[in-house]
Amino acid sequence: QVQLMESGGGLVQAGGSLTLSCAASGMGFRPDVMGWYRQAPGKQRELVARITRGGNTNYAEFVKGRFTISRDNVKNTVYLQMNSLKPEDTAVYYCNADQVFGTDYWGQGTQVTVSE
């Protein structure tokens, strides 16, 4: 009964910003790692950013300095602040909640579109 509720996607112009949110619900669910992945049409899903419960982060090189991932462990919510967006950032963004010794979960995906 774990669910990931995503929000914040939309259409913006190049150079603009968006903030994605993903709340993981479920009794006793305490994901070790939460993160964001994205998939553009015809391309493979790729890691954007991840964050551990302790706050350690990992970013893809193409978003370093532009995106910031954070999480609220009490609310089991992960955020992705996206600044200086580029057209190549256009993709469906998926939230992921990972239990190292258990099942991991995916959100339904939220569309981010960046125009020229």
Side-chain angles (χ1 to χ4, degrees):
Q1 295 175 327
V2 173
Q3 289 186 308
L4 304 183
M5 308 295 186
E6 300 174 334
S7 63
L11 191 156
V12 297
Q13 293 184 337
S17 299
L18 284 174
T19 300
L20 306 183
S21 299
C22 174
S25 63
M27 183 176 293
F29 185 59
R30 301 290 186 270
D32 300 297
V33 182
M34 299 186 74
W36 293 94
Y37 295 72
R38 71 187 188 186
Q39 186 169 21
K43 298 184 178 180
Q44 296 183 29
R45 189 171 299 186
E46 62 184 353
L47 170 70
V48 176
R50 295 183 297 184
I51 185 168
T52 68
R53 288 186 60 82
N56 294 320
T57 58
N58 182 36
Y59 294 94
E61 286 294 329
F62 55 80
V63 303
K64 284 186 176 179
R66 300 190 297 124
F67 293 7
T68 302
I69 189 169
S70 61
R71 66 186 287 173
D72 183 331
N73 291 330
V74 175
K75 295 181 172 62
N76 278 342
T77 300
V78 63
Y79 307 91
L80 185 68
Q81 175 66 49
M82 304 185 293
N83 299 320
S84 302
L85 283 162
K86 306 174 181 179
E88 52 263 44
D89 294 319
T90 296
V92 177
Y93 284 69
Y94 296 91
C95 178
N96 173 261
D98 189 295
Q99 300 180 90
V100 174
F101 300 107
T103 303
D104 66 323
Y105 298 89
W106 292 90
Q108 80 286 349
T110 183
Q111 178 70 46
V112 172
T113 302
V114 184
S115 63
E116 294 285 351

